[in-house]
């Protein structure tokens, strides 16, 4: 007999993958079609152009790979770097660690800035490294914009300022996997040379698309870079663009239709500014709930608070993994594990993607049930009430219902 999964819907509150809107599911529910047909490039071109709006770039060149965000990581590195090039990168969370591991396996010269988990990049150390690099041996500064393992967001404008003040020509490569499309991201204004994201985060799609934008400087650099490339070679895509086609390889047709629907929701229906405001609103409500429980968030200063995920630090007497297990086993509530150095110390509440106020309040109520069960003396309703008090004053009328 087939096991009964659980009544109702799973409450998905991890920082990716995220809830998929019904409209996106419907858009993907189609048969395969010929991506070499005369009509298919119209879809691909519209998607590529609107992706630029998410990154807020007018001059960037977009690429969409059939891959996860990790493939976009590799593409950003191999198209702009040469073997042995020096890269400065902060290590401040698990996704920084994974990107650094990839850089190491690709045999780059990785210059790591060690940061405390729960803090952003140490800008003073970055400035010192850039100013002391008189021969410009450093070819790139790589930054994870929003580190979801700790709920910490880096100030990219400050990173750009450090590069400019040092008059350093290094490229700025940014992992915006969990930020692009949900948080304020300004590729052109912040002088980002390569920015990337994945389909399963703010875009609320299944995993499977690595989405990247490259500046004019990055495109020119790629023509001289010597690292071997294959599947992720930008030059092959640029040839396809010139030929009027979308990709040199077989694309995921269903995901592209889903991406078209997702972009329509974000850019045309809710509006990107409203999407950003909603994420900020839900994040603040979550932090107020955490404080009402008598707990602290992982981000050590408000300037680093993430708009898409909140890391909750548990007392040393508790194991945060127990929170995760009970939430899922008993209440069909999916919360984020503590990763890497914060495993067992932190659980994460994701408020990313297609999620609203009442969904969040339900998740917060579930967390309260679990906290009491694992032995933390939470007062039922305390966090929910704190979040409600904030949301009742900050939530606007839905634009289409004015």
């Amino acid at each position: 007999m087939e096991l009964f999964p659980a009544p109702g819907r799973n409450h998905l509150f991890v920082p990716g993958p995220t809830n998929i809107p019904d409209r996106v599911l419907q858009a993907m529910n189609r048969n395969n079609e010929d991506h070499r047909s005369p009509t298919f490039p119209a879809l691909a071109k519209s998607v590529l152009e609107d992706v630029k709006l998410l990154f807020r770039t007018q001059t960037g060149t977009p690429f969409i790979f059939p891959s996860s965000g990790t493939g976009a990581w590799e593409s950003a590195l191999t198209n702009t770097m040469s073997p042995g090039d020096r890269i400065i990168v902060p290590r401040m969370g698990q996704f920084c660690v994974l990107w650094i591991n990839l850089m190491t396996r690709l045999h780059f010269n990785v210059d790591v800035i060690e940061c405390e988990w729960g803090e952003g990049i140490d800008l003073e150390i970055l400035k010192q490294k850039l100013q002391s690099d008189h021969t410009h041996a450093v070819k790139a500064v790589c930054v994870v914009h929003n580190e979801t393992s700790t709920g910490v967001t880096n100030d990219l404008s400050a990173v750009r300022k450090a590069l400019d003040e040092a008059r350093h020509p290094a490229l700025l490569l940014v992992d915006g996997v969990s930020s692009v499309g949900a948080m304020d991201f300004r590729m052109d204004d912040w002088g980002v040379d390569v920015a990337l994201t994945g389909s399963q985060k703010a875009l609320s799609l299944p995993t499977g698309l690595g989405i990247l934008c490259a500046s004019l400087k990055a495109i020119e650099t790629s023509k001289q870079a010597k690292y071997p490339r294959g599947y992720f070679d930008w030059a092959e895509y640029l040839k396809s663009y010139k030929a009027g086609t979308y990709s040199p390889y077989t694309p995921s047709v269903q995901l592209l239709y889903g991406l078209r629907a997702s972009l329509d929701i974000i850019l045309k229906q809710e509006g990107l500014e409203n999407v950003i405001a909603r994420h900020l609103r839900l994040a603040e409500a979550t932090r107020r709930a955490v404080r009402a429980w008598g707990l602290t968030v992982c981000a050590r200063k408000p300037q680093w608070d993430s708009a898409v995920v909140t890391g909750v630090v548990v007392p040393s007497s508790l194991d945060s993994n127990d929170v995760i297990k009970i939430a899922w086993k008993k209440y069909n509530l999916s919360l984020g594990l503590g990763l890497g150095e914060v495993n067992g110390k932190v659980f994460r509440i994701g408020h990313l993607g297609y999620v609203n106020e009442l969904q969040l309040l339900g998740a917060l109520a579930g967390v309260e049930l679990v906290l009491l069960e694992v032995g933390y003396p939470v007062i039922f309703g305390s966090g929910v009430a704190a979040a409600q008090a904030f949301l009742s004053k900050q939530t606007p009328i839905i634009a289409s219902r004015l």
Side-chain angles (χ1 to χ4, degrees):
M1 187 173 106
E2 183 181 356
L3 291 175
F4 179 56
R9 288 192 173 187
N10 170 250
H11 296 269
L12 187 59
F13 281 84
V14 297
T18 58
N19 296 289
I20 304 176
D22 289 340
R23 179 175 174 181
V24 173
L25 288 170
Q26 292 161 5
M28 293 188 296
N29 185 21
R30 62 181 64 237
N31 209 330
N32 282 329
E33 66 180 75
D34 179 13
H35 63 282
R36 306 292 185 194
S37 72
T39 58
F40 188 79
L43 168 67
K45 184 177 181 182
S46 75
V47 167
L48 286 168
E49 284 302 309
D50 282 356
V51 157
K52 293 166 64 175
L53 300 178
L54 280 187
F55 288 87
R56 286 186 170 142
T57 179
Q58 294 183 345
T59 59
T61 299
F63 301 91
I64 301 177
F65 303 106
S67 77
S68 67
T70 305
W73 274 352
E74 183 168 325
S75 177
L77 295 167
T78 57
N79 280 276
T80 59
M81 301 284 108
S82 295
D85 276 352
R86 182 179 167 198
I87 301 170
I88 295 177
V89 56
R91 179 158 43 205
M92 39 167 280
Q94 184 62 17
F95 293 95
C96 295
V97 168
L98 294 175
W99 203 7
I100 289 168
N101 289 346
L102 178 61
M103 295 173 195
T104 302
R105 292 198 303 274
L106 295 174
H107 303 294
F108 293 114
N109 178 5
V110 188
D111 185 349
V112 176
I113 299 176
E114 294 291 354
C115 306
E116 293 291 329
W117 287 36
E119 298 183 2
I121 183 173
D122 190 320
L123 291 167
E124 291 305 314
I125 294 179
L126 174 63
K127 291 175 184 178
Q128 292 169 13
K129 287 181 178 291
L130 292 172
Q131 290 169 0
S132 63
D133 181 29
H134 303 297
T135 62
H136 295 161
V138 174
K139 301 303 179 185
V141 174
C142 294
V143 180
V144 174
H145 184 204
N146 185 75
E147 176 54 71
T148 54
S149 67
T150 56
V152 165
T153 300
N154 279 303
D155 184 348
L156 294 180
S157 64
V159 176
R160 167 46 61 190
K161 184 178 179 181
L163 281 159
D164 290 345
E165 288 181 349
R167 297 184 179 180
H168 203 292
L171 297 172
L172 175 55
L173 311 185
V174 175
D175 171 344
V177 169
S178 61
S179 61
V180 172
M183 296 167 54
D184 189 19
F185 193 95
R186 308 177 197 177
M187 182 172 175
D188 287 353
D189 289 350
W190 295 338
V192 176
D193 291 296
V194 183
L196 59 95
T197 189
S199 55
Q200 78 280 11
K201 299 285 186 172
L203 287 164
S204 299
L205 289 161
T207 306
L209 296 180
I211 303 169
L212 180 149
C213 270
S215 71
L216 292 172
K217 180 180 176 182
I219 294 292
E220 288 304 308
T221 301
S222 72
K223 297 175 183 178
Q224 307 301 323
K226 303 299 183 184
Y227 201 92
R229 307 160 217 166
Y231 184 68
F232 296 114
D233 190 349
W234 295 351
E236 295 301 311
Y237 279 79
L238 294 174
K239 288 178 187 176
S240 294
Y241 297 169
K242 287 183 180 180
T245 58
Y246 157 70
S247 167
Y249 312 114
T250 305
S252 171
V253 171
Q254 289 80 6
L255 281 176
L256 285 178
Y257 277 105
L259 178 57
R260 178 66 271 162
S262 174
L263 290 169
D264 286 344
I265 292 170
I266 294 171
L267 299 174
K268 299 176 183 179
Q269 292 185 330
E270 187 174 7
L272 183 57
E273 292 297 338
N274 292 330
V275 171
I276 293 169
R278 172 168 54 82
H279 281 87
L280 289 170
R281 188 165 64 244
L282 297 182
E284 178 60 26
T286 303
R287 290 191 293 270
R288 292 188 180 211
V290 173
R291 290 196 293 269
W293 296 331
L295 298 173
T296 59
V297 300
C298 192
R300 297 184 180 181
K301 291 182 180 179
Q303 70 198 53
W304 294 319
D305 283 337
S306 171
V308 301
V309 59
T310 299
V312 184
V313 181
V314 301
S316 58
S317 58
L318 299 179
D319 183 342
S320 64
N321 292 316
D322 293 335
V323 175
I324 305 299
K325 292 174 185 176
I326 294 173
W328 185 78
K329 289 183 176 182
K330 194 167 184 178
Y331 300 108
N332 202 16
L333 170 61
S334 295
L335 301 170
L337 285 166
L339 300 174
E341 291 186 10
V342 296
N343 182 257
K345 304 174 184 177
V346 168
F347 70 90
R348 297 172 297 148
I349 304 172
H351 26 83
L352 170 60
Y354 203 65
V355 62
N356 64 25
E357 287 80 359
L358 295 186
Q359 288 172 291
L360 177 67
L361 291 171
L364 295 176
V367 172
E368 290 182 354
L369 288 167
V370 176
L371 286 174
L372 192 65
E373 191 156 339
V374 299
Y376 182 74
V378 67
I379 298 174
F380 280 155
S382 57
V384 173
Q388 285 176 314
F390 174 76
L391 292 171
S392 66
K393 296 177 181 178
Q394 298 298 321
T395 302
I397 295 175
I398 298 167
S400 63
R401 300 176 185 181
L402 289 171

